[in-house]
Amino acid sequence: MNTRNKFFSVILSITLICISNHPLAAQTMGQFGIKGGLNASKIYIDNTVNGNALIGFHAGVYGQFFSSKSFAIQPELLFSTKGYKAQYTELAIQDINYNLNYLDLPILAVFKLGDAGEIHLGGYASYLLSATISYETNLATGINKISKDDLKSFDYGLSGGLGINFGRFQIGGRYNFGLVSLAGSDAAKILLGNAKGSCTQLYASFNMRSH
């Protein structure tokens, strides 16, 4: 991880720690815990003949602030692997996997359904940590690192999902819809066009804060 990535990660971590230790946040915090699960992500490419979701994962921490019996604000800090499986047929059959690693910061409004579960609605911001492509053609197979200058460093979008509670555990699903075109250079636009990302997530979380 280069200096810029480390700096960004440290700033987000310090921000989360400061929020969680602020007296007002401490008084209104309902939960603090860990979560993780599977990603099924896609990027929609203009000149792609067909493609499939790329399976990855996410893991990190979450908290609920200004919490009441019916509502809370939930920020999260997650490492998340995303991407897309694409097939191009213009010159030769080329199967390409775009592998993108992000630091995600969702901020969600939580509507509580009693003790049974929660509805999550909000948005997210993401920072691109690294990117590679793996490819297989009629002539060659390999893995290449993508220059971060070819892709937008920041992404953001809308999020929505549902969680079901089992005591201090929760399982759920969420859909994230990106609003930013991923290509950051003219060369990247040849392959990606105006592609934007989406990601379906299945997760399990554990509330570490006792009531």
Side-chain angles (χ1 to χ4, degrees), residues 21-205:
N21 285 285
H22 191 278
L24 179 60
Q27 293 172 12
T28 59
M29 176 181 264
Q31 297 185 23
F32 180 83
I34 56 176
K35 64 175 299 185
L38 294 177
N39 289 347
S41 56
K42 283 189 175 183
I43 52 179
Y44 296 97
I45 305 173
D46 296 342
N47 59 343
T48 298
V49 174
N50 57 62
N52 298 296
L54 187 69
I55 302 302
F57 72 93
H58 64 278
V61 296
Y62 76 96
Q64 287 190 358
F65 300 94
F66 312 107
S67 181
S68 70
K69 292 182 178 180
S70 59
F71 182 78
I73 298 295
Q74 179 168 308
E76 302 175 358
L77 186 62
L78 308 170
F79 175 79
S80 191
T81 63
K82 305 176 186 177
Y84 185 60
K85 292 183 178 181
Q87 186 178 77
Y88 299 89
T89 58
E90 285 81 357
L91 299 177
I93 296 176
Q94 301 184 34
D95 293 315
I96 299 179
N97 287 356
Y98 295 86
N99 305 292
L100 311 177
N101 296 325
Y102 282 94
L103 191 65
D104 287 346
L105 180 63
I107 298 179
L108 306 160
V110 177
F111 301 93
K112 299 182 180 181
L113 307 174
D115 294 329
E118 300 171 344
I119 296 173
H120 298 166
L121 296 173
Y124 70 90
S126 297
Y127 182 75
L128 181 65
L129 298 173
S130 63
T132 59
I133 59 173
S134 57
Y135 60 89
E136 183 175 353
T137 72
N138 292 338
L139 301 176
T141 299
I143 299 175
N144 289 332
K145 185 175 182 179
I146 302 173
S147 170
K148 287 182 84 266
D149 294 334
D150 288 329
L151 300 173
K152 299 281 182 64
S153 294
F154 290 94
D155 184 23
Y156 60 85
L158 304 175
S159 296
L162 175 68
I164 304 299
N165 296 329
F166 298 91
R168 294 170 69 176
F169 289 92
Q170 183 179 97
I171 60 172
R174 183 180 300 168
Y175 181 73
N176 302 311
F177 181 76
L179 299 176
V180 177
S181 297
L182 299 176
S185 68
D186 291 338
K189 288 180 180 179
I190 294 174
L191 288 178
L192 296 175
N194 294 317
K196 299 179 177 69
S198 70
C199 183
T200 301
Q201 297 178 317
L202 298 176
Y203 69 86
S205 64

